[in-house]
Amino acid sequence: INTMSITQELHRILDNIEETRKNAPLAAPAVRLVGVSKGQPEARIREAIAAGLRDFGENRVQEAEAKWPALK
């Protein structure tokens, strides 16, 4: 069971990405993290947005159309 908040987990992941990017032989100038909001309730998506995540992916247009207007 993961006891980290979305904010804590996001910062952990972003720190890991940055460390990996810096240590790579051919480091990328920038990396974008895309959160998967598929199947996630609005409250969790709002928490991720509040934590600073701005890019999200959905694989079903119908699901995106149903939830994203309220989240913009």
Side-chain angles (χ1 to χ4, degrees), residues 18 21 26-31:
E18 185 61 17
R21 189 189 69 77
L26 299 172
V31 176

Side-chain angles (χ1 to χ4, degrees), residues 3 23 34 44 46 54 70 72:
T3 59
N23 292 325
V34 178
R44 287 183 57 88
R46 285 192 186 282
R54 295 293 179 262
K72 287 185 177 184

Side-chain angles (χ1 to χ4, degrees), residues 15-28:
D15 289 346
N16 189 3
I17 289 171
E18 185 61 17
E19 185 67 26
T20 302
R21 189 189 69 77
K22 284 180 181 177
N23 292 325
L26 299 172

Side-chain angles (χ1 to χ4, degrees), residues 6 10 42-56 68 71-72:
I6 289 175
L10 177 60
E42 187 176 314
R44 287 183 57 88
I45 298 169
R46 285 192 186 282
E47 187 179 348
I49 292 169
L53 191 59
R54 295 293 179 262
D55 298 308
F56 292 86
W68 280 99
L71 294 165
K72 287 185 177 184

Side-chain angles (χ1 to χ4, degrees), residues 54-72:
R54 295 293 179 262
D55 298 308
F56 292 86
E58 292 275 356
N59 72 333
R60 296 184 185 222
V61 173
Q62 298 86 349
E63 188 174 348
E65 289 175 335
K67 69 178 151 189
W68 280 99
L71 294 165
K72 287 185 177 184

